[in-house]
Amino acid sequence: MTTLKSTLGNSIIVSPTFIANAITQLTTQPWVRSQNILQTQSCAMISDNNKYNHFYEKINAAGLLLIEDGAQSLWRSIFFNIFCKGIPTIMLHSLFHRFFGDSSSSFIKIENENLKSALLHILTDIVLYPIEVIELVYSVDRYQDRYESFQFKNIFDCIGQMYGEGKERVLYDEGYSIAASNSSGKNTFLSKLIDSLRIIQSSFYKGFLPRILCYSIPNHLSNAYLDSYLTKMKDEQWGKVFQIFRLRFKTKGLMKEIYEMIVQGKYKTTLLWYLIKIISYKSLLFWLMYPFDTITKKLQVNGQPGFLYKYINILDCIKTTFKEECWENWSDFTFNNGFYNGYIYKLVALPFNLIVPPIVLNFFKNQKKKKLFSIFNKD
């Protein structure tokens, strides 16, 4: 009881961290929404005229969304993201630091900050997966001419429609009839519970295993390795850098490193070149991981309200994407095809994700909050 109370108490006093996270989300949300729409538009139930199929449209997607859907649409899911996802994330991270930190009271000590942050993000992706799916489906909702409105009136309408779509899938698409079990007298508490779990799985856990196994785990672990590489590279010779693979020594988190450079006033040459190195390395890593991000997001929205039920499984999604969105654009494979749609906006958001949180926390000048830098998204 004492441990839980202490943990929740710590989560309450992280307001600077919460504000830094909120400001970062506000800054990057237009780029994130543009990226998500480009990644998932192939199975959206909107006319082809409203889809961004040409290279110049994809490059200017944020501007076109501003004109077509309105300025407010660029921040469509911002409050849900900040409060419904941000607050549980901070509490989950506080619990993680309590039990898996580097203090004497921790059950397991993980000294490498970047590895700790990676494990933390993987755990967050697993526990808060339904919130991630809801936020994605709601954020990519487009203005539809035939209805002269968006698919969802608000986030609660989005959740309701997703649940209704999932229930209909369980009833008809999967050949499983709840009504039949009720009429046969098998309407027990256990059967109701199983029915509800099947509906929830069909509504809010679409693409769960592919997302976690094919993207979340390799993405966060590779980011941890790269961040440790970059922080070690700053102080050691290049020949000794690959010793980082052992992850045995105590390493600062990458965000802490940037924060300390800002606190020390190293705004000019040192910080600038360090950020250039980080962005260069992370851009390459993102380029390698981006196809998995795109494919798993397509599986998350597959069959959701406003989207076609287009893919049977992850292999079918890869095959269909390559056939429909890559074959004709082979000469421009980097950006203008189904696997790398929206990649340019991930690069645009990267500098803001790196520099905004340390600047905001430096404004509060609260050194005790440094241990919670892992709250900030490393994607």
Side-chain angles (χ1 to χ4, degrees):
M1 184 70 179
T2 305
T3 301
L4 180 59
K5 186 175 181 180
S6 174
T7 303
L8 294 177
N10 289 336
S11 68
I12 294 173
I13 63 173
V14 296
S15 55
T17 305
F18 175 78
I19 293 172
N21 187 50
I23 292 176
T24 305
Q25 295 291 336
L26 283 167
T27 306
T28 60
Q29 188 63 27
W31 320 126
V32 173
R33 182 172 189 257
S34 301
Q35 173 195 331
N36 289 338
I37 286 175
L38 289 173
Q39 287 179 298
T40 60
Q41 67 174 355
S42 62
C43 49
M45 290 182 181
I46 57 176
S47 64
D48 290 337
N49 293 332
N50 291 335
K51 294 181 180 180
Y52 304 135
N53 297 317
H54 303 288
F55 183 71
Y56 67 89
E57 291 178 328
K58 295 176 182 180
I59 292 295
N60 194 33
L64 293 173
L65 287 171
L66 177 66
I67 297 171
E68 297 173 5
D69 292 358
Q72 187 177 357
S73 70
L74 294 176
W75 288 270
R76 183 163 173 75
S77 61
I78 188 63
F79 291 107
F80 180 80
N81 202 357
I82 290 175
F83 293 100
C84 297
K85 187 177 181 180
I87 293 177
T89 299
I90 289 176
M91 296 180 67
L92 190 61
H93 286 215
S94 299
L95 285 168
F96 185 92
H97 279 287
R98 177 67 177 174
F99 295 107
F100 299 96
D102 52 9
S103 64
S104 57
S105 60
S106 301
F107 291 134
I108 300 176
K109 292 184 179 180
I110 303 176
E111 293 187 339
N112 187 286
E113 291 290 335
N114 297 303
L115 177 59
K116 187 194 304 182
S117 179
L119 297 176
L120 193 48
H121 279 89
I122 293 169
L123 176 64
T124 304
D125 289 347
I126 294 172
V127 175
L128 302 183
Y129 187 81
I131 295 178
E132 177 186 346
V133 175
I134 294 169
E135 193 258 336
L136 176 64
V137 173
Y138 186 66
S139 69
V140 298
D141 185 23
R142 296 286 312 280
Y143 185 87
Q144 301 186 37
D145 295 332
R146 55 179 176 172
Y147 300 123
E148 295 185 350
S149 66
F150 288 91
Q151 173 82 23
F152 311 116
K153 296 178 182 178
N154 49 55
I155 190 67
F156 301 105
D157 183 41
C158 175
I159 296 172
Q161 288 193 39
M162 289 174 67
Y163 185 84
E165 193 77 24
K167 185 175 182 179
E168 185 177 344
R169 247 188 326 268
V170 170
L171 277 169
Y172 303 107
D173 296 346
E174 298 180 7
Y176 179 81
S177 176
I178 297 175
S181 65
N182 292 342
S183 62
S184 63
K186 297 180 180 179
N187 188 15
T188 62
F189 173 78
L190 181 60
S191 64
K192 285 185 177 181
L193 178 61
I194 294 174
D195 293 341
S196 299
L197 291 176
R198 287 174 65 88
I199 294 172
I200 290 172
Q201 186 276 329
S202 181
S203 305
F204 308 112
Y205 281 90
K206 292 184 71 66
F208 176 74
L209 287 179
R211 182 69 178 178
I212 300 301
L213 298 178
C214 298
Y215 180 72
S216 179
I217 293 176
N219 178 60
H220 292 311
L221 290 180
S222 58
N223 263 289
Y225 179 88
L226 179 60
D227 289 355
S228 298
Y229 174 91
L230 290 166
T231 52
K232 193 67 176 175
M233 181 180 68
K234 184 172 173 292
D235 302 317
E236 301 240 351
Q237 297 178 358
W238 286 78
K240 298 180 181 180
V241 165
F242 289 98
Q243 293 178 359
I244 193 70
F245 183 73
R246 301 173 187 174
L247 297 175
R248 291 177 181 172
F249 50 85
K250 195 167 184 177
T251 306
K252 293 179 182 177
L254 185 65
M255 298 296 286
K256 287 184 183 179
E257 192 78 35
I258 298 174
Y259 174 80
E260 291 179 359
M261 294 175 73
I262 292 174
V263 171
Q264 295 168 9
K266 297 179 180 179
Y267 285 102
K268 297 181 180 179
T269 306
T270 305
L271 179 58
L272 177 62
W273 284 109
Y274 192 44
L275 286 174
I276 290 174
K277 287 180 180 179
I278 294 172
I279 292 171
S280 300
Y281 279 88
K282 281 187 172 287
S283 298
L284 177 59
L285 177 60
F286 289 166
W287 186 81
L288 295 173
M289 294 301 304
Y290 198 81
F292 300 98
D293 184 31
T294 299
I295 291 300
T296 53
K297 281 182 179 176
K298 286 186 176 186
L299 292 175
Q300 287 178 319
V301 301
N302 185 41
Q304 297 284 12
F307 291 88
L308 300 170
Y309 190 81
K310 194 172 182 178
Y311 314 112
I312 301 174
N313 50 46
I314 187 171
L315 294 178
D316 182 53
C317 183
I318 294 172
K319 180 181 177 181
T320 304
T321 300
F322 182 81
K323 182 179 179 180
E324 294 182 355
E325 302 176 56
C326 298
W327 189 254
E328 295 180 358
N329 298 317
W330 186 262
S331 60
D332 195 12
F333 191 76
T334 305
F335 296 108
N336 195 26
N337 72 89
F339 292 109
Y340 284 95
N341 273 337
Y343 174 71
I344 188 69
Y345 286 105
K346 193 172 186 73
L347 297 185
V348 171
L350 175 57
F352 295 97
N353 285 324
L354 288 173
I355 201 67
V356 171
I359 289 177
V360 175
L361 289 183
N362 182 47
F363 176 79
F364 287 96
K365 298 186 182 301
N366 193 335
Q367 299 286 339
K368 293 181 180 180
K369 304 301 178 293
K370 289 195 295 179
K371 68 177 183 178
L372 293 175
F373 268 106
S374 57
I375 186 70
F376 300 107
N377 198 348
K378 298 164 65 109
D379 287 351

